[in-house]
Amino acid sequence: MPRSIWKGAISFGLVTIPIKLFSATEEKDVSFRQVHPEDGGRIKYKRVCEKCGNEIPYGEIAKGYELSDGRMVILDNEDMASLPLPTTKAVEVVQFVGEEDIDPTYFARTYFLEAETAGTKPYVLLRDALIKTERCALVKVALRSRESLALIRPKDGMLLMHTMLWPDELRDGSFAAPSADVSVSDAEVAMAQNFIEALAGDFNPDEYTDSYRQAVETLVQSKLEGAELPEEEAPQEAEVVDLVAALRASVEAAKKRREESGESTKKSKKAV
């Protein structure tokens, strides 16, 4: 069982729910070392003070808040622990909203909420009430030295908490929108709809894998064995002149892939 990263309580009106917080996700990216290519030695970095030139152990490094005039205010662990912020140990419910009301762009990280023994019944009460009302709890919480908005929602018999970015942390992406002068015909939209329907289905995350990570692992293994990797053909970029014709071909290809996928699934089931 993973270790909890935070302990506190949810303030649900006059009801208090003591909880533990656990990370719900872990990234499994490919990890590389920075090395000297001539001998494979790892590149190391030292934490050196720019004034005295001494190497400073990590445990002796403090936080410094630099003011606009260049002055530096030193903050230690005791200072940070004494922040006048009620959300450091309590999750404050500020509103109940529909899940569809929150733009997914706001979401940052996901956590499991586990009730402490004394909080099991009020935990279940909040969970069931959210399910019945089809609402989520919008809360404020302080984690990892910063306060965030967050959304608590029921899923699979438990409560999940999604931390959120603040509105001023979302960039204005209007520059990426196509010009209003660009339009498409009804026939093009209809064919695009056909393509969407040809690939429509229920989301099953187990059907997808990280091809990049697999390719890197294959490359590493080939290096160890001294074998050469087969060359992949680079995708050819073609200028699309007739959108309807291109989409029609895409629909046929999608239908063919789905049929082939269905056949391979049937064969694998028969083999089992």
Side-chain angles (χ1 to χ4, degrees):
M1 180 177 174
R3 293 174 53 188
S4 64
I5 64 167
W6 187 86
K7 283 187 179 183
I10 300 174
S11 298
F12 175 38
L14 297 178
V15 177
T16 299
I17 311 172
I19 57 163
K20 293 179 182 177
L21 205 65
F22 298 85
S23 292
T25 60
E26 58 176 337
E27 295 185 5
K28 295 186 176 180
D29 197 2
V30 176
S31 178
F32 295 104
R33 300 280 189 183
Q34 289 188 320
V35 297
H36 185 197
E38 292 186 8
D39 54 21
R42 296 182 186 178
I43 306 300
K44 293 186 177 181
Y45 293 90
K46 295 182 178 181
R47 300 178 180 90
V48 177
C49 174
E50 65 175 358
K51 288 188 175 181
C52 66
N54 294 331
E55 185 176 353
I56 310 301
Y58 181 78
E60 296 180 13
I61 296 177
K63 291 180 171 65
Y65 187 95
E66 187 172 5
L67 301 175
S68 57
D69 59 7
R71 287 180 298 166
M72 190 74 70
V73 179
I74 308 300
L75 303 172
D76 57 25
N77 292 335
E78 290 185 7
D79 294 324
M80 299 304 295
S82 63
L83 279 174
L85 191 64
T87 50
T88 54
K89 286 298 179 184
V91 179
E92 176 191 356
V93 177
V94 295
Q95 192 177 7
F96 292 98
V97 298
E99 185 177 346
E100 67 281 358
D101 294 339
I102 307 296
D103 187 331
T105 311
Y106 279 97
F107 294 137
R109 291 183 175 272
T110 302
Y111 299 91
F112 297 127
L113 298 180
E114 181 189 48
E116 299 272 26
T117 304
T120 303
K121 187 169 183 177
Y123 180 102
V124 172
L125 171 63
L126 177 59
R127 181 199 66 190
D128 291 355
L130 291 175
I131 293 173
K132 291 286 187 181
T133 58
E134 297 184 349
R135 297 279 181 176
C136 299
L138 186 67
V139 304
K140 290 178 72 176
V141 60
L143 296 174
R144 304 184 188 279
S145 302
R146 63 168 290 171
E147 186 178 60
S148 302
L149 282 175
L151 191 75
I152 294 178
R153 68 182 181 94
K155 184 179 184 294
D156 298 334
M158 72 182 80
L159 293 174
L160 298 183
M161 186 174 78
H162 306 279
T163 53
M164 297 165 56
L165 301 171
W166 293 104
D168 61 358
E169 293 178 311
L170 300 187
R171 292 175 175 169
D172 180 6
S174 57
F175 68 90
S179 169
D181 299 332
V182 179
S183 62
V184 292
S185 68
D186 292 342
E188 291 167 338
V189 173
M191 191 56 67
Q193 288 177 304
N194 290 339
F195 178 66
I196 290 172
E197 290 300 326
L199 286 181
D202 296 329
F203 174 56
N204 182 2
D206 293 333
E207 294 179 358
Y208 305 96
T209 56
D210 185 348
S211 301
Y212 175 76
R213 183 154 40 114
Q214 293 174 345
V216 171
E217 290 170 352
T218 301
L219 172 63
V220 170
Q221 192 60 36
S222 70
K223 284 274 203 177
L224 289 173
E225 297 173 355
E228 290 188 7
L229 285 174
E231 290 188 9
E232 293 284 340
E233 291 186 8
Q236 295 182 348
E237 294 185 7
E239 183 180 355
V240 178
V241 178
D242 189 339
L243 279 176
V244 173
L247 285 168
R248 185 178 292 114
S250 300
V251 170
E252 294 302 320
K255 289 180 178 178
K256 186 177 180 181
R257 285 201 306 271
R258 175 157 286 189
E259 290 171 0
E260 291 174 350
S261 176
E263 289 296 324
S264 62
T265 302
K266 289 178 182 178
K267 289 180 182 178
S268 63
K269 287 183 177 178
K270 287 181 180 179
V272 174

